[in-house]
Amino acid sequence: MSQNNSMKTSLETKVDGNQDIKQQPKLYAMDSLDRFGDDLFEYLLSYLSLEDRFRLECVSKQFQRTVFKSVVDICIDDSLLANRLKTQMLASIAMKCPNIRRLDCREMTSEELIPEVITAFGNHLRDIHCELVSNSNQWLPTYGSLVTQMTVWKRSAKQSLIHCNRLSRLTVWQLTDVFGNTFPELLVNDLQSMEFRVASDNDSQLLPAFVSRNLSLKHFAIVIDRDLPEMCQLLSRLTQLQHLGLHLGSTIPSVQALLSEISGIYANRSPFFGTVETLPPINTFNTTFRSTKWERLQDPVAHP
Amino acid sequence: MADNADHIDGDDNEDVRAQQNLIKIKLKSSEGGIYECGLTAAKMSDLVKNMVESLGTDAVVTTEPIILGNEAVTDAALKKIIEWVEFHWDDPPVDHDFEDEKDRRNEELSHWDKQFIDVDDQALLFDVIAAANYMDIKGLVEVGAKHICSKIRGKSCQEVREMLKITNDFTAEEEDAIHKENAWIYAKD
């Protein structure tokens, strides 16, 4: 038992009593969590899981007051939704956690539940991270402006991307997925991060159109399936770029030449060559090879 | 050449920080104890940083102790805090651009931090947290918060009350009502 007793570390403002800012007369033991004021108390509980927060709500009134306030991000996945009382659960989370701003439903495989989940939190949300699925055209017209991160797997629904005017991070299968049915209608612009996984025949035509409307890119991971120096030159227009990922396809005739081309672009960005001095250097550069051609290289991963 | 220029610039900053940390300043606890601490390390406390900067020159700082008047800054707590900042002062800065805040939040504590914060004397642990909060050392308050959360993860309400010496101020009826509201936690398929 501690003999040291003390006042709370900060004043407590009561919600119901009209701004009762008198210091609590009660003394608290120094080894009791009760000694902390609400602000610090709330922060100390902010690393709990969602389930722990609800389970521990009735530890004390101070717990109840503070334990839900720090929930800002919520990730709804299949395991959470596998609940007999899921409607009650969603309502209860939305009611008790008034500060939820970001909803991540990328881990939900039951896409028919997405509208219900988004509607439950809709009023508070600022950001939604989700996948483009076959029923997206039902909810994206309403909530599209909240979507900031997205992965496109159902390409048939790609036209819904035009509703996502705040989108900043996007992953698609092919570059064609960000173009409307009538080229050159581009469905996204001013992205910060973009990845695509598979090259297509039209890339040499699509990439310049995409890059010119997305000069803000900081992270770019792409596939190059043929030797396209002009494609590499395009990258030099991305002055904000910090992370570059290149996936080199099997038909690249000379990986060595391609890499030296790319090194050339970034060498040109250094002040020594007299170009723009304010360009930040690339932080990371990854390459992967699908062919066996890497054996021809002395140093398969070049660092420009 | 150009690359070199960049590097020198970067090393320079680190050099300055390292050199500044050779300057020892004095911190005074609320119990009156005076302890030495490297300047760069001490500046991890925003409170100390502001005080040092408002004093102007480093010369003043090295003679007069900085008084930390909050009662949580006991001798023992201040010694722990100095140990922490002296270990962490040269940590690389957080890259907010590309480290997702959420990933950072989910990051486990380092082995060193875990050992550091695993203090048997709970009054001392809470003094360190309250003092770090008063001195505005965000990294250390985060270590304390992660430690407390990892200790109560998966525990029952009663276990948490006993461990953290929390008084239950709910009536039995109030507790029952909360259990009913949260019945869904136990309704997993």
Side-chain angles (χ1 to χ4, degrees):
Chain A
M1 282 303 272
S2 163
Q3 310 87 345
N4 287 334
N5 286 334
S6 159
M7 297 295 191
K8 285 224 179 206
T9 49
S10 69
L11 297 181
E12 201 179 313
T13 315
K14 282 195 174 163
V15 186
D16 45 9
N18 289 333
Q19 293 195 325
D20 177 12
I21 49 166
K22 263 191 306 184
Q23 193 138 30
Q24 299 289 300
K26 197 177 163 190
L27 295 170
Y28 297 90
M30 299 304 276
D31 61 350
S32 158
L33 202 68
D34 291 342
R35 68 182 270 187
F36 294 112
D38 277 7
D39 288 350
L40 185 52
F41 201 93
E42 175 191 327
Y43 179 73
L44 293 178
L45 301 180
S46 68
Y47 293 92
L48 287 175
S49 71
L50 194 66
E51 189 180 313
D52 275 335
R53 290 176 204 253
F54 278 91
R55 233 167 20 76
L56 299 176
E57 180 183 350
C58 53
V59 167
S60 72
K61 288 184 178 169
Q62 193 175 22
F63 247 81
Q64 183 182 44
R65 271 201 307 277
T66 56
V67 77
F68 299 114
K69 283 189 178 171
S70 53
V71 184
V72 176
D73 290 290
I74 188 162
C75 178
I76 303 285
D77 58 15
D78 289 349
S79 69
L80 198 62
L81 288 170
N83 193 303
R84 276 179 285 113
L85 303 172
K86 72 171 174 297
T87 306
Q88 187 200 351
M89 172 191 79
L90 289 173
S92 162
I93 297 173
M95 189 188 69
K96 291 187 175 177
C97 308
N99 298 321
I100 291 180
R101 293 291 175 268
R102 277 184 294 274
L103 168 65
D104 185 347
C105 45
R106 286 174 296 188
E107 302 294 312
M108 284 176 60
T109 50
S110 37
E111 54 187 70
E112 72 282 358
L113 294 175
I114 291 178
E116 184 185 344
V117 168
I118 294 183
T119 313
F121 300 105
N123 293 335
H124 308 301
L125 292 182
R126 296 287 175 275
D127 291 296
I128 297 176
H129 302 169
C130 62
E131 297 190 348
L132 191 70
V133 290
S134 44
N135 68 0
S136 291
N137 56 348
Q138 291 166 27
W139 46 273
L140 276 180
T142 314
Y143 293 107
S145 61
L146 298 175
V147 177
T148 53
Q149 290 193 29
M150 186 180 256
T151 307
V152 175
W153 300 129
K154 281 280 167 17
R155 308 158 68 187
S156 54
K158 69 180 182 184
Q159 206 67 31
S160 304
L161 279 172
I162 54 166
H163 300 294
C164 307
N165 51 14
R166 281 179 56 233
L167 195 60
S168 80
R169 295 181 181 212
L170 181 64
T171 302
V172 297
W173 187 243
Q174 281 192 330
L175 194 56
T176 48
D177 297 346
V178 297
F179 286 89
N181 295 324
T182 50
F183 180 80
E185 185 201 1
L186 185 58
L187 303 169
V188 292
N189 51 52
D190 297 329
L191 294 180
Q192 297 214 343
S193 165
M194 164 75 170
E195 294 186 17
F196 66 89
R197 304 283 168 83
V198 174
S200 73
D201 291 341
N202 301 328
D203 281 357
S204 56
Q205 192 188 6
L206 299 179
L207 205 63
F210 174 78
V211 165
S212 63
R213 299 267 303 278
N214 288 277
L215 296 173
S216 48
L217 282 170
K218 290 182 178 172
H219 173 112
F220 201 24
I222 61 176
V223 185
I224 297 183
D225 216 10
R226 57 194 70 200
D227 201 4
L228 294 170
E230 67 274 23
M231 210 169 192
C232 304
Q233 284 302 329
L234 267 178
L235 297 175
S236 65
R237 297 185 61 191
L238 299 173
T239 55
Q240 313 287 315
L241 200 62
Q242 293 176 21
H243 296 237
L244 174 64
L246 287 182
H247 191 84
L248 304 176
S250 52
T251 52
I252 300 272
S254 162
V255 175
Q256 189 97 60
L258 184 78
L259 289 179
S260 69
E261 188 95 41
I262 290 164
S263 311
I265 295 169
Y266 291 104
N268 278 334
R269 284 169 59 155
S270 75
F272 182 67
F273 289 92
T275 51
V276 194
E277 270 184 59
T278 51
L279 287 181
I282 296 276
N283 284 346
T284 59
F285 174 53
N286 306 320
T287 46
T288 54
F289 303 93
R290 232 185 311 175
S291 68
T292 53
K293 291 213 171 63
W294 61 273
E295 287 168 18
R296 283 163 38 189
L297 287 170
Q298 313 241 299
D299 173 15
V301 179
H303 293 278
Chain B
M1 281 291 137
D3 276 355
N4 279 346
D6 275 343
H7 280 145
I8 288 165
D9 218 27
D11 290 344
D12 230 16
N13 270 329
E14 273 169 42
D15 275 355
V16 170
R17 286 166 60 79
Q19 231 151 38
Q20 288 225 327
N21 208 44
L22 296 175
I23 302 172
K24 299 297 171 198
I25 67 167
K26 298 185 181 76
L27 302 174
K28 188 171 176 182
S29 83
S30 64
E31 294 176 320
I34 296 176
Y35 302 91
E36 278 200 340
C37 181
L39 180 59
T40 311
K43 279 180 166 178
M44 288 187 86
S45 154
D46 279 350
L47 179 84
V48 171
K49 183 166 176 266
N50 291 337
M51 282 170 147
V52 168
E53 280 166 9
S54 70
L55 286 171
T57 60
D58 295 341
V60 186
V61 185
T62 49
T63 50
E64 283 301 305
I66 288 182
I67 297 163
L68 302 163
N70 187 286
E71 62 164 8
V73 192
T74 58
D75 287 342
L78 186 55
K79 276 196 269 187
K80 282 291 279 181
I81 286 176
I82 291 173
E83 184 190 344
W84 192 85
V85 293
E86 287 282 18
F87 185 81
H88 280 284
W89 67 268
D90 59 350
D91 284 356
V94 182
D95 181 359
H96 287 288
D97 257 1
F98 261 87
E99 266 170 273
D100 220 331
E101 172 65 15
K102 224 177 0 175
D103 293 345
R104 219 177 58 79
R105 285 189 63 82
N106 293 335
E107 216 171 77
E108 277 273 312
L109 291 180
S110 70
H111 181 67
W112 192 92
D113 278 336
K114 270 187 194 162
Q115 296 221 312
F116 168 85
I117 203 68
D118 195 10
V119 180
D120 285 335
D121 177 353
Q122 193 156 282
L124 173 60
L125 170 69
F126 290 169
D127 278 341
V128 169
I129 292 172
N133 183 57
Y134 162 73
M135 292 170 70
D136 211 348
I137 309 172
K138 293 187 183 64
L140 180 50
V141 184
E142 181 181 325
V143 170
K146 284 185 171 176
H147 175 68
I148 288 176
C149 287
S150 76
K151 271 173 73 169
I152 63 181
R153 187 170 299 149
K155 298 275 191 307
S156 73
C157 290
Q158 193 48 36
E159 285 169 329
V160 170
R161 286 184 203 120
E162 281 164 18
M163 188 190 290
L164 302 177
K165 312 237 186 310
I166 295 170
T167 315
N168 179 10
D169 47 5
F170 284 119
T171 64
E173 293 76 34
E174 285 171 327
E175 237 184 288
D176 277 352
I178 296 169
H179 277 303
K180 272 196 196 115
E181 283 170 17
N182 297 341
W184 57 267
I185 301 170
Y186 310 98
K188 280 187 198 161
D189 274 344

